Amino acid sequence: MSPESLTPAELLQQRNRRTGLTIFQISWILVFVCLVIVNWQLRGNHPSWPPPGVKAPSALLPGLATLGLLASAWLARAATRSLAAGSRAAFRGQWRAALALGALFVLVIAYEWLSIPVSGIYSDVFRMMTAFHLLHALAIGLFMSMIARGVRAGRVSAQNLWPAEGATGLWYFVVVAWLLFFPVLYLI
Amino acid sequence: MATITATPGLGSRTTEGAAIRAADLLRWSLDHKVIGLQYMASSLFFFIVGGTMAMLIRWELLTPALDLMADGTQYNALMTIHGSVMIFLWIIPMMAGFGNYLVPLMLGAKDMAFPWLNAFAFWLIPPAGVLMIAGWLVGPPEAGWTSYPPLSTLFSPDGQTMWAMSLHLLGVSSILGAINFVVTIRNMRPAGMTIWKMPLFVWAVLATAIIQVLATPFLTGGLTLLILDRTAGTSFFDPGSGGDVLLWQNVFWFYSHPAVYIMILPGFGMVSEVLAVHARKPVFGYRAIGLSSMSIALVGFTVWAHHMFTSLQPALRIPFMITSMIIAVPTGIKIFSWLGTIWGGKIRFTAAMLFALGFITLFVFGGIGGIFLAAVPVDIHLHDTYFVVGHFHFVLFGGSVFLIFAGIYHWFPKMTGRRMNERLGQLHFVTTYIGTFFTFVPQHIAGALGLPRRVAMYDPAFTNINTVISLAAFLLGISSLIFMYNILRSLSHGERVGGNPWRGLTLEWATTSPPPPWNFRGDPVPFDDPYGYGSDESGPYLDAVERRFPAPEEAAGA
């Protein structure tokens, strides 16, 4: 829906929602920043990280999953734009692809969570961070699938775009949060 | 009963009347005024709960031996829940209550930006309170409000987990509330209400909300780890298994020192309003006060490790000492601005003004105690003594709580349409001031002499000073009863007032008392300078407001 067609009150509502979502994203991402700092402080107490005798997990599979997550965010963005332009068919395809890539990411990280050997503080931190992110990805992914149903039922449309726009914003959040975690968990 | 809808997203309001009934406080409501009063009523309830615990603590400490408690563990539990309730369920939500009630009114807005979110944020508080208190049923938390591991991980019963879950809920509530404040203040200002015309209370709420949005997530992170250590067998805070106890201290204080400003900054905003109105003087240094709130919010993020001087790497002590000292500068700017505001004013010694003036004297004293503790050598000597207890009670009770009292006396007429009893208010002030002084000054002395904090039994050499402290604390208890009686009595018997009983210039006074469902009938008419007391234009403006929103008797006779 173009801004010109909105009443001043609707424009204010849209502005409030966008500002609110941005502030929420900034605020909640700091929980992830906190966990990154936790990781740093804990690894600082050890002569090497992973601690001696513990094998670091391979970055290959989660690296590919990260690329898939990035692609899913791009697809979610494209889908929202398609919906705004009134093209529900394009939205459906792009949104489903975004959801599928998101689901794949969740499966890969869940596999990582399950397959990391128990090794004390290293696996504790690894599992805590991946689980914390997984919970967010699952919750927001579920919300995105509800948006798909909303579009099918006509509740979410070019005239009522905010649910899709908000869900996309939250999915960006999942991506940024993972981009904070991935290097700390797998690369550094 | 008609129902009207104002604007998309703001929900609907019944137009039954402006007055909010007690039963409304128990219902889900989207009206920011109801939500504000819900925060305030629940906070007052927890003030009574936490205050009763304080009385029990002081009873126990009347003599060096155990009197009331069966053992020190019971004392630890009492002191833990007292501190947690007073901070997280009394002062912080009470400040949120003032913000919810006043910010839209002061800005000339119909409501907060997200009314549903606003209500949701409030309704997280009652279950959090239940979790906190119900810990007693399963074994209460015993690790103090700071809950340092390993006390909180290895030695505290299951109530400690409930304590952490309670704080989790309160943290989420705090973040959601803060997002609402920032968006409301940024987006909901009507045309003409520039940031430099915002009342100083709104500035203070904005600074507070920024702190809440940026600091509370760290508490969330820390609490998550604490709960995992307690329930899932992880060892984040266990050095024996590769964890780190200082990790908690860093994360906790990165939130909890800024939380000190969450507890005081809204009060700083309130005192600016109260002083200007009751001294009939323009605020001295409006921009300096507004910007100093922002400076405090910013610098507040750089001082957390001064709580850890005794456990901190020595090389880091001096930088944190310097930042801790620096934060006194914007606070000092405020103090001088407030003194400049009342200087030469036509001061009315109302209960609100007395508490505002009392705050300045006590807060300067408490602040100087803070400078002592910011100095590394002094802090190392005073660490974990009653000096620390005296300091933070001085700034929290002499600071935040005095300002809450000032705010309640000042805005009670707006919220209820009735004035609180001034005689009782003055009696409340005198007893509170004396009680505060003689409770918390001797604690500084006892601490400097070496009395450790968080102990139920102490060296008999401290008996006399502890007796003085306890008797003064009981006086504080009595003063609080006077206050509660005054509130209850004034709700039904208080003198009825019109829209602007104090002749204030900020927008909340340019409407009925209490305000109608959407705050203003028609568009509010702001005065060009919200603190232009004594200007040629202010008199006619205030007269016009008084004619438009008269006291009910006058309205009936008109």
Side-chain angles (χ1 to χ4, degrees):
Chain A
M1 202 175 192
S2 64
E4 296 79 35
S5 59
L6 296 175
T7 64
E10 287 168 337
L11 266 176
L12 177 63
Q13 188 186 30
Q14 185 185 67
R15 195 166 161 234
N16 285 348
R17 284 167 164 173
R18 287 178 176 167
T19 313
L21 179 63
T22 305
I23 297 168
F24 173 75
Q25 287 170 321
I26 292 169
S27 177
W28 204 244
I29 203 74
L30 290 174
V31 185
F32 291 79
V33 170
C34 171
L35 298 182
V36 168
I37 292 169
V38 164
N39 185 305
W40 280 345
Q41 182 158 346
L42 289 173
R43 68 168 64 196
N45 293 337
H46 294 81
S48 64
W49 193 260
V54 180
K55 190 170 174 289
S58 163
L60 183 63
L61 191 58
L64 291 171
T66 304
L67 292 176
L69 186 66
L70 284 166
S72 81
W74 182 83
L75 283 162
R77 179 170 177 265
T80 307
R81 289 187 165 195
S82 299
L83 189 63
S87 174
R88 287 175 57 178
F91 169 85
R92 262 198 302 275
Q94 289 157 338
W95 199 257
R96 278 180 186 164
L99 276 173
L101 284 171
L104 204 61
F105 170 83
V106 166
L107 286 174
V108 168
I109 303 305
Y111 170 76
E112 290 285 301
W113 190 91
L114 289 167
S115 59
I116 187 98
V118 175
S119 59
I121 193 68
Y122 181 81
S123 59
D124 281 354
V125 178
F126 183 92
R127 284 187 160 181
M128 178 270 295
M129 291 175 75
T130 46
F132 195 74
H133 187 270
L134 265 180
L135 282 176
H136 285 78
L138 274 172
I140 294 168
L142 193 68
F143 180 54
M144 288 175 71
S145 64
M146 288 165 63
I147 299 298
R149 290 176 62 183
V151 171
R152 209 166 37 240
R155 290 191 301 272
V156 182
S157 62
Q159 283 70 43
N160 181 29
L161 191 64
W162 171 249
E165 191 185 330
T168 306
L170 290 172
W171 196 242
Y172 292 164
F173 173 86
V174 169
V175 174
V176 173
W178 181 250
L179 291 178
L180 282 173
F181 275 12
F182 179 68
V184 176
L185 291 173
Y186 290 99
L187 303 180
I188 302 171
Chain B
M1 180 183 8
T3 301
I4 53 171
T5 301
T7 48
L10 292 189
S12 58
R13 298 276 187 283
T14 59
T15 56
E16 204 169 28
I20 295 165
R21 296 158 303 171
D24 293 332
L25 302 184
L26 299 173
R27 295 193 190 116
W28 175 272
S29 170
L30 299 185
D31 187 334
H32 73 97
K33 298 184 290 298
V34 177
I35 296 168
L37 293 176
Q38 286 173 326
Y39 270 107
M40 297 171 97
S42 64
S43 301
L44 281 171
F45 169 76
F46 285 114
F47 175 54
I48 296 167
V49 172
T52 305
M53 292 178 192
M55 295 300 104
L56 294 175
I57 288 170
R58 287 316 316 177
W59 184 357
E60 173 56 59
L61 295 174
L62 267 170
T63 69
L66 281 176
D67 303 312
L68 197 59
M69 314 286 156
D71 51 38
T73 315
Q74 276 190 2
Y75 180 84
N76 289 344
L78 192 64
M79 159 277 282
T80 298
I81 299 188
H82 159 73
S84 305
V85 164
M86 287 306 212
I87 288 170
F88 296 109
L89 292 165
W90 153 234
I91 296 181
I92 293 179
M94 178 54 96
M95 294 301 185
F98 276 107
N100 267 290
Y101 197 98
L102 293 171
V103 164
L105 280 165
M106 286 181 159
L107 290 177
K110 288 182 167 66
D111 206 308
M112 298 282 279
F114 306 113
W116 191 91
L117 201 65
N118 204 17
F120 182 69
F122 166 73
W123 283 104
L124 289 174
I125 290 177
V130 170
L131 271 175
M132 178 91 74
I133 308 284
W136 246 303
L137 301 175
V138 294
E142 296 166 3
W145 85 275
T146 53
S147 286
Y148 281 6
L151 288 178
S152 58
T153 48
L154 301 180
F155 302 105
S156 201
D158 287 347
Q160 188 75 49
T161 310
M162 291 166 73
W163 175 92
M165 290 161 63
S166 167
L167 258 62
H168 245 317
L169 285 181
L170 293 168
V172 171
S173 164
S174 191
I175 290 172
L176 296 179
I179 290 171
N180 223 336
F181 280 128
V182 177
V183 178
T184 302
I185 295 168
R186 181 182 183 271
N187 293 351
M188 304 282 281
R189 280 178 285 120
M193 179 62 80
T194 63
I195 59 164
W196 298 116
K197 285 188 180 173
M198 289 194 316
L200 286 165
F201 177 70
V202 179
W203 269 99
V205 170
L206 179 62
T208 307
I210 291 171
I211 297 174
Q212 285 173 306
V213 159
L214 299 179
T216 315
F218 285 83
L219 180 68
T220 303
L223 288 169
T224 304
L225 304 186
L226 186 67
I227 291 172
L228 287 173
D229 265 17
R230 290 188 56 85
T231 60
T234 56
S235 52
F236 297 113
F237 303 124
D238 178 7
S241 303
D244 188 342
V245 284
L246 293 185
L247 183 61
W248 169 262
Q249 294 186 25
N250 274 305
V251 172
F252 178 80
W253 286 117
F254 191 78
Y255 162 76
S256 292
H257 192 83
V260 171
Y261 305 114
I262 293 171
M263 287 185 271
I264 195 73
L265 274 176
F268 285 173
M270 288 195 265
V271 74
S272 302
E273 307 295 335
V274 172
L275 290 176
V277 171
H278 295 266
R280 315 307 301 164
K281 272 277 303 291
V283 162
F284 180 84
Y286 167 88
R287 288 194 181 209
I289 294 181
L291 292 176
S292 62
S293 293
M294 291 296 167
S295 312
I296 289 171
L298 190 70
V299 183
F301 280 101
T302 65
V303 303
W304 82 92
H306 71 215
H307 294 273
M308 304 160 54
F309 276 152
T310 53
S311 55
L312 194 66
Q313 288 176 31
L316 293 174
R317 286 174 178 166
I318 299 299
F320 279 103
M321 181 175 85
I322 292 169
T323 53
S324 303
M325 298 269 183
I326 286 174
I327 210 156
V329 175
T331 312
I333 288 172
K334 283 183 186 295
I335 300 280
F336 282 110
S337 297
W338 292 326
L339 293 177
T341 300
I342 57 175
W343 186 263
K346 294 175 187 165
I347 297 176
R348 296 182 294 197
F349 288 101
T350 58
M353 188 63 165
L354 288 171
F355 272 103
L357 295 172
F359 151 78
I360 294 177
T361 60
L362 295 176
F363 193 75
V364 167
F365 189 101
I368 289 171
I371 299 288
F372 276 57
L373 291 171
V376 176
V378 185
D379 181 81
I380 287 172
H381 174 69
L382 296 172
H383 185 80
D384 257 349
T385 69
Y386 254 84
F387 190 96
V388 180
V389 178
H391 162 67
F392 70 69
H393 277 90
F394 228 94
V395 290
L396 285 181
F397 204 98
S400 305
V401 177
F402 262 60
L403 293 176
I404 287 170
F405 290 151
I408 289 177
Y409 283 107
H410 185 67
W411 282 292
F412 188 90
K414 177 52 59 185
M415 295 168 180
T416 64
R418 291 178 185 272
R419 203 192 293 267
M420 286 180 76
N421 184 291
E422 276 295 323
R423 278 277 168 85
L424 284 173
Q426 285 157 1
L427 179 64
H428 174 217
F429 169 74
V430 171
T431 49
T432 307
Y433 196 91
I434 294 170
T436 304
F437 200 85
F438 286 103
T439 302
F440 303 122
V441 169
Q443 288 186 348
H444 286 80
I445 298 166
L449 292 171
L451 178 64
R453 64 190 287 203
R454 294 175 171 170
V455 289
M457 294 181 289
Y458 52 85
D459 187 326
F462 290 103
T463 306
N464 288 344
I465 202 162
N466 267 308
T467 304
V468 170
I469 293 170
S470 288
L471 292 177
F474 297 151
L475 181 63
L476 274 182
I478 293 166
S479 77
S480 301
L481 292 178
I482 296 169
F483 172 64
M484 300 306 290
Y485 171 72
N486 195 358
I487 286 187
L488 293 175
R489 186 181 177 280
S490 302
L491 280 171
S492 55
H493 291 84
E495 177 201 346
R496 287 185 178 277
V497 294
N500 195 2
W502 306 122
R503 289 177 70 80
L505 284 171
T506 43
L507 262 181
E508 80 273 25
W509 302 109
T511 185
T512 54
S513 297
W518 295 107
N519 294 346
F520 301 94
R521 295 202 173 91
D523 290 330
V525 186
F527 189 65
D528 196 46
D529 176 2
Y531 301 105
Y533 298 102
S535 66
D536 292 341
E537 299 81 15
S538 66
Y541 172 84
L542 289 168
D543 292 341
V545 169
E546 212 158 274
R547 280 195 299 277
R548 190 168 171 205
F549 307 109
E553 289 81 1
E554 294 170 39

